[in-house]
Amino acid sequence: ALEAVKTLLYFKTPDSISYIKHYMLSKDTLLREQTVRLAGVYRVKEAVPYMIELLEKKDLFGAESFNKVSVVKALGDIGEPSALKILYKICDSNSLLYKSELEKLKIEIFKNLQNYPFQDVKPLLELGLKSKIKDIQLISEKLQKSIGEKHE
């Protein structure tokens, strides 16, 4: 099924989006993750709302955190500014449960900001510079320098 979707994406057929949506909302986590990855590789902007939905999904047992990392990577590949609102919300949140998983997700968000427009990423970078997580501070500094220099 994924090979068929990959072919549809390659040829940029309009019906590929309905398959992307169907597989992203699937209960099968492997299928969902592979579909998310495909959407990132082919930079399918129409898939962004479904990815945001996956990120907003409550995860009571911490089982979805691995999938959320792949969603963040795919969103970073696409670089659609509409995704930044949920990414900011995640980075500005705290959790008593699954703190280490949330920290990994936050780091992954900052690792994948380079394809977003610089002006739109600025608030996240400012948040990252104030972070207690050293890796996020370092990534924010590097991104601010490298992306900032390109846009000056």
Side-chain angles (χ1 to χ4, degrees):
L2 281 175
E3 282 301 315
V5 173
K6 188 176 180 180
T7 303
L8 293 172
L9 288 170
Y10 179 80
F11 289 109
K12 298 180 174 136
T13 64
D15 58 339
S16 62
I17 304 307
S18 63
Y19 289 103
I20 290 281
K21 176 185 176 184
H22 176 73
Y23 292 133
M24 271 193 198
L25 302 177
S26 167
K27 300 270 186 235
D28 182 340
T29 55
L30 181 61
L31 183 62
R32 192 170 54 227
E33 183 196 347
Q34 290 174 334
T35 305
V36 165
R37 205 163 15 96
L38 270 178
V41 168
Y42 286 95
R43 296 178 183 228
V44 182
K45 289 186 179 193
E46 296 86 355
V48 171
Y50 308 115
M51 289 189 216
I52 290 171
E53 193 176 316
L54 291 173
L55 285 177
E56 289 175 332
K57 192 176 181 182
K58 297 291 181 211
D59 185 16
L60 298 176
F61 303 109
E64 292 291 323
S65 60
F66 177 75
N67 290 327
K68 289 185 179 194
V69 167
S70 62
V71 170
V72 166
K73 287 180 182 178
L75 286 171
D77 289 340
I78 297 169
E80 173 59 36
S82 63
L84 290 170
K85 186 177 180 181
I86 184 66
L87 298 180
Y88 186 92
K89 185 178 175 184
I90 292 168
C91 290
D92 199 30
S93 68
N94 291 315
S95 174
L96 299 175
L97 300 172
Y98 314 111
K99 193 173 183 165
S100 66
E101 294 302 318
L102 179 61
E103 188 174 305
K104 288 177 193 172
L105 187 62
K106 288 179 180 183
I107 291 170
E108 201 59 47
I109 287 170
F110 282 89
K111 284 181 180 178
N112 288 282
L113 291 176
Q114 68 277 359
N115 289 331
Y116 293 99
F118 178 66
Q119 282 304 112
D120 296 332
V121 172
K122 269 183 155 179
L124 252 175
L125 292 179
E126 290 168 9
L127 184 67
L129 292 171
K130 298 174 191 170
S131 176
K132 294 177 184 174
I133 304 168
K134 200 69 177 162
D135 288 348
I136 290 176
Q137 288 176 0
L138 293 172
I139 294 168
S140 296
E141 287 173 14
K142 283 182 186 176
L143 274 175
Q144 201 162 34
K145 287 177 187 171
S146 67
I147 298 175
E149 289 171 359
K150 289 178 189 175
H151 290 85
E152 287 179 359

